[in-house]
Amino acid sequence: LVSVRDPSHSSDSTNTVESDEELESLLPLNSDNAKGSKKGKDRVPLQTSLWARGRTLCASEQVGFVVWVGAILLNVANLPGLWVVFFARVSTDVHIDGLTILWSLWLAAAVTYRRYLWTRASPHIRGVMSHAEMFVAVSMVTTMCSNLAYYNHTPGPRLRDVGFQLIPEQGLNSPWRPISDVLTIGLPISMGAYSLFRLDRAARCQLFVDWFRLVAIAYIFRAMTSTLTSLPGPAPHCSSTSAEYGPPSNWRDIVTRMGPLYGNFKTCGDLLFSGHAAWTTVTLLLSLKIDRNRPHQTARKLVAFVYLMTMCVLAISGRKHYTVDLALGVMVASLTFCQFEHGWSPSAHRAKMHLAHIDLGFARLAGNGQ
């Protein structure tokens, strides 16, 4: 994939994209869920930034994109809310009461709101919207798997860990304790804000689509592993003497506790592998793709490495994860990025199908020659 330059503009001129329609038509978005997209089209390269194309964005486009992001976030927030209220309150009463009627109205409003967004959105925004919904659904399943691991958790002594032997433990009320969570959650927000000024609408939407897809796939792998073996949690809140220790007591707690979706990481036993490490690794790798043809790439990679190591060291110091959890999180996320960078199917499968088409083409040429 190479940077695309509009042939109708000279390389030394700076032009402004006046409308979303003009900007949307510049590059296609390869999204299977977007109307008007064609499966197999060339993807929008993330290094196709504004400086490489000789264009600048007007402020109205940037504000419009932020408004669309807010509308999409409001749409996907309905999913966990409807789920939790239904299983926590509505399903517990066989009679139709006021809460059931309010929940039904909420569901109807959420469906109507989503349909309204879908009809108003361009194919690029639809791709972001559908992938955001997929990400939230996978995150809910992963959270329920974490709750199941918490349900099976047995408090016990911490396992011997090299990271614990080398890195001192933070105090219970240390101001450093929440920083690893802040670094994890704040990174994609910073990446999205940076893309507002470095990428056009098509490439920016592709960035969001890639992030939702890659993190969702990594979370699927995490859901498959975290429930198999519940390790003794090293965090202070996982001690049986802690006032914060409260594992789920029944199936309703397992399916309705959505704390990790809102930044409340107080589960225990769901350690292998680390979602913090996977989330951070995927975001850093995608961030490095933005403007990767610009100079000083070595310095950018060094900054990304230091950022990742800082998050991991703080997580170990806070005893939020064992070292093996973080190491496997980085490795699984890196392999996920390599295999699923360009779509939901692995790169090896895509390459195999591409070679099969080439072989078929040669066979047809040979047949025509005969």
Side-chain angles (χ1 to χ4, degrees):
L1 298 176
V2 297
S3 298
V4 179
R5 188 180 297 276
D6 192 345
S8 63
H9 299 275
S10 60
S11 59
D12 57 349
S13 64
T14 301
N15 302 281
T16 301
V17 180
E18 297 294 345
S19 64
D20 288 351
E21 289 76 12
E22 179 189 355
L23 188 142
E24 298 275 357
S25 64
L26 293 178
L27 288 172
L29 175 67
N30 183 20
S31 173
D32 298 342
N33 298 313
K35 290 184 180 180
S37 63
K38 183 178 179 181
K39 204 169 185 178
K41 276 187 177 181
D42 292 336
R43 289 165 43 85
V44 178
L46 296 186
Q47 67 270 30
T48 306
S49 56
L50 297 175
W51 68 267
R53 304 186 55 180
R55 288 176 175 265
T56 57
L57 289 181
C58 58
S60 61
E61 189 281 330
Q62 296 169 322
V63 173
F65 184 80
V66 172
V67 172
W68 269 112
V69 170
I72 292 173
L73 292 177
L74 180 60
N75 172 62
V76 297
N78 286 318
L79 182 57
L82 288 166
W83 177 275
V84 170
V85 173
F86 177 80
F87 282 101
R89 299 291 300 277
V90 177
S91 63
T92 59
D93 194 350
V94 295
H95 303 289
I96 299 178
D97 55 4
L99 180 62
T100 303
I101 296 175
L102 289 177
W103 184 87
S104 301
L105 293 175
W106 183 10
L107 176 62
V111 173
T112 303
Y113 176 67
R114 185 195 183 280
R115 185 177 301 172
Y116 173 79
L117 290 182
W118 190 263
T119 56
R120 300 277 295 181
S122 65
H124 298 86
I125 296 297
R126 287 177 184 174
V128 176
M129 183 175 170
S130 59
H131 282 75
E133 293 170 342
M134 178 66 71
F135 166 74
V136 171
V138 171
S139 298
M140 291 175 59
V141 174
T142 304
T143 300
M144 286 183 274
C145 291
S146 298
N147 291 335
L148 180 59
Y150 196 4
Y151 176 80
N152 294 324
H153 177 259
T154 301
R158 293 171 177 171
L159 303 178
R160 294 184 62 84
D161 187 271
V162 174
F164 291 179
Q165 297 173 0
L166 297 177
I167 302 175
E169 182 177 2
Q170 298 171 356
L172 188 60
N173 298 319
S174 172
W176 293 91
R177 180 168 292 278
I179 293 182
S180 60
D181 296 334
V182 173
L183 291 177
T184 301
I185 298 174
L187 184 59
I189 299 176
S190 302
M191 181 184 69
Y194 180 74
S195 69
L196 278 175
F197 305 97
R198 301 307 306 173
L199 300 178
D200 57 26
R201 173 68 66 89
R204 193 186 307 135
C205 287
Q206 185 66 62
L207 176 69
F208 279 67
V209 165
D210 289 344
W211 188 86
F212 284 129
R213 181 184 64 253
L214 289 168
V215 177
I217 293 174
Y219 273 17
I220 291 174
F221 294 148
R222 172 171 159 75
M224 296 168 60
T225 59
S226 62
T227 56
L228 298 179
T229 303
S230 182
L231 301 177
H237 67 266
C238 293
S239 173
S240 58
T241 59
S242 174
E244 297 179 311
Y245 184 75
S249 58
N250 52 54
W251 70 269
R252 289 189 188 275
D253 289 343
I254 294 175
V255 301
T256 58
R257 288 192 181 183
M258 295 291 162
L261 281 179
Y262 307 107
N264 182 19
F265 306 104
K266 293 295 184 179
T267 55
C268 299
D270 57 325
L271 297 171
L272 201 62
F273 54 92
S274 168
H276 286 69
W279 173 297
T280 305
T281 302
V282 166
T283 309
L284 286 173
L285 290 174
L286 272 178
S287 299
L288 290 174
K289 287 186 64 178
I290 303 177
D291 297 344
R292 64 183 179 187
N293 290 334
R294 299 190 70 184
H296 309 298
Q297 291 302 305
T298 301
R300 296 180 66 209
K301 293 177 182 178
L302 180 60
V303 170
F305 177 78
V306 172
Y307 191 100
L308 179 61
M309 290 299 102
T310 301
M311 191 281 300
C312 291
V313 168
L314 290 174
I316 294 174
S317 179
R319 301 302 187 255
K320 299 177 181 179
H321 274 287
Y322 295 109
T323 307
V324 65
D325 308 334
L326 297 163
L328 284 178
V330 172
M331 288 187 283
V332 171
S334 300
L335 294 174
T336 299
F337 182 85
C338 293
Q339 285 296 313
F340 298 96
E341 178 186 0
H342 301 298
W344 287 97
S345 59
S347 297
H349 174 73
R350 296 164 67 92
K352 182 178 179 181
M353 296 299 296
H354 181 65
L355 291 176
H357 285 300
I358 293 177
D359 292 340
L360 180 61
F362 279 121
R364 289 177 178 176
L365 288 175
N368 293 335
Q370 293 176 357

